[in-house]
Amino acid sequence: MKTIPVALQAHYDSGNTTLARLVKVTRVDGTVFGFTDHDRTLTFGGLDYEPTSVFDASAISTRAEMNVDNLEVAGLLDSEGITAADIEAGRWDHAAVEIRQVNWADLTMGAEILRVGEIGNVQRRGSGYTCELRGLMQKLQNNIGNLVTPSCNAKLGDARCGVDLDALTITSVAVTDVNSRGEFEASSLGQDNGYFVQGEVRWLTGLNAGITMDIRAHSNVGGLITLALKAPFDIQIGDTFDITPGCDKSFETCKAKFTNSINFRGFPRVPGKDKTFLVGGQKS
């Protein structure tokens, strides 16, 4: 149940209020931002909330039924707040958000928590952006459980998989040649063709530092890496990254590449729909 500090509730009841909203955003990279719709900086809980035009939220309402409460946020791109480059790089995806309401004339009254959640889809629209703030009820929409599929449903390196991914990670690899934002070479990588397909590159230095990207193709000729999506910023010779191998979720790969068949989480021998609809003695 939502609680409101006694002093703040008395301020509400007075009928003559001086209210402001505080928006705290914690990105997945640990960077914390504070925004307010007030006209001057407010310091609350040790964080400075800067007045800005980059954040304008729709009306906040909470319903008693078990519906998902989402909030749409729109604003202007700002070089000191939310930039187009950061949005395109995905740095705001899944950021944690806390929205509070305070009496800006007396912050010692405490704060009412209006909404807690995380940022969903972020879209750039001209000189502005829109994003969805997903409430806590959104998590109840997730399917929990395992599906019976021919391929493995574990994530490479997690507790169910059991592979020591840290031991297989090659660290501080340097880019030696660049073809585009989606393709580059690292000549020190001499693994077999395809070894890194469906693996990940995590950039350590350069314009893309801190961003993790999926690998679509890998050739041992020059250590050519092709990314599944283009990097948001230019890749430059000398940029360094960590790289992990990939897994296509098949039993053969689990056995031959990772010697991990005992932990394979797929069911390749369970008949599928193709077998269900066979008639008249058909075998395939």
Side-chain angles (χ1 to χ4, degrees):
M1 184 176 70
K2 180 184 292 187
T3 59
I4 302 174
V6 175
L8 186 60
Q9 183 63 62
H11 181 63
Y12 288 168
D13 296 338
S14 71
N16 185 18
T17 59
T18 50
L19 301 175
R21 284 188 294 184
L22 307 179
V23 181
K24 179 182 178 181
V25 182
T26 305
R27 296 194 322 203
V28 293
D29 61 7
T31 307
V32 180
F33 293 84
F35 304 117
T36 179
D37 57 5
H38 192 47
D39 59 2
R40 62 182 175 85
T41 299
L42 299 176
T43 302
F44 184 83
L47 179 64
D48 291 336
Y49 291 84
E50 302 290 341
T52 180
S53 61
V54 304
F55 201 94
D56 181 22
S58 61
I60 298 175
S61 62
T62 301
R63 294 162 288 185
E65 59 267 24
M66 300 289 284
N67 292 336
V68 177
D69 292 323
N70 289 337
L71 172 70
E72 186 177 86
V73 175
L76 299 175
L77 298 171
D78 187 293
S79 60
E80 297 180 357
I82 301 176
T83 66
D86 285 342
I87 288 176
E88 292 172 358
R91 289 194 169 114
W92 290 90
D93 294 347
H94 309 297
V97 179
E98 301 173 6
I99 302 179
R100 293 179 170 87
Q101 188 161 257
V102 298
N103 175 9
W104 59 262
D106 186 359
L107 295 176
T108 63
M109 288 184 176
E112 175 190 2
I113 298 178
L114 300 179
R115 178 70 76 246
V116 175
E118 67 177 28
I119 291 178
N121 296 324
V122 183
Q123 295 182 340
R124 179 183 175 186
R125 295 182 178 178
S127 61
Y129 70 92
T130 60
C131 67
E132 177 189 36
L133 174 60
R134 296 173 176 171
L136 297 178
M137 296 298 294
Q138 177 72 34
K139 296 185 182 298
L140 296 181
Q141 303 297 308
N142 297 333
N143 294 324
I144 300 176
N146 296 323
L147 298 177
V148 176
T149 60
S151 58
C152 180
N153 57 24
K155 179 177 174 59
L156 181 64
D158 68 9
R160 297 175 64 242
C161 169
V163 169
D164 185 359
L165 197 56
D166 290 339
L168 298 176
T169 300
I170 303 175
T171 61
S172 300
V173 182
V175 174
T176 54
D177 197 10
V178 179
N179 297 330
S180 67
R181 286 188 178 184
E183 191 175 80
F184 60 92
E185 294 182 10
S187 58
S188 64
L189 298 177
Q191 287 73 11
D192 293 339
N193 281 333
Y195 181 76
F196 295 108
V197 173
Q198 299 187 35
E200 291 182 340
V201 165
R202 183 179 183 276
W203 295 103
L204 302 176
T205 61
L207 300 177
N208 296 293
I211 297 174
T212 300
M213 309 198 70
D214 295 330
I215 299 171
R216 181 171 62 85
H218 161 239
S219 170
N220 64 357
V221 179
L224 181 66
I225 298 293
T226 303
L227 300 175
L229 297 174
K230 291 183 179 180
F233 307 108
D234 288 341
I235 301 171
Q236 300 173 325
I237 294 176
D239 288 353
T240 58
F241 59 91
D242 291 346
I243 187 169
T244 58
C247 179
D248 63 6
K249 309 296 184 180
S250 69
F251 179 78
E252 291 74 16
T253 297
C254 186
K255 180 180 179 181
K257 186 174 182 178
F258 299 105
T259 318
N260 192 45
S261 56
I262 191 172
N263 289 324
F264 183 70
R265 303 295 176 175
F267 302 87
R269 295 178 178 85
V270 173
K273 291 182 179 180
D274 55 336
K275 299 294 184 182
T276 304
F277 294 107
L278 294 180
V279 295
Q282 291 178 327
K283 295 183 179 180
S284 60

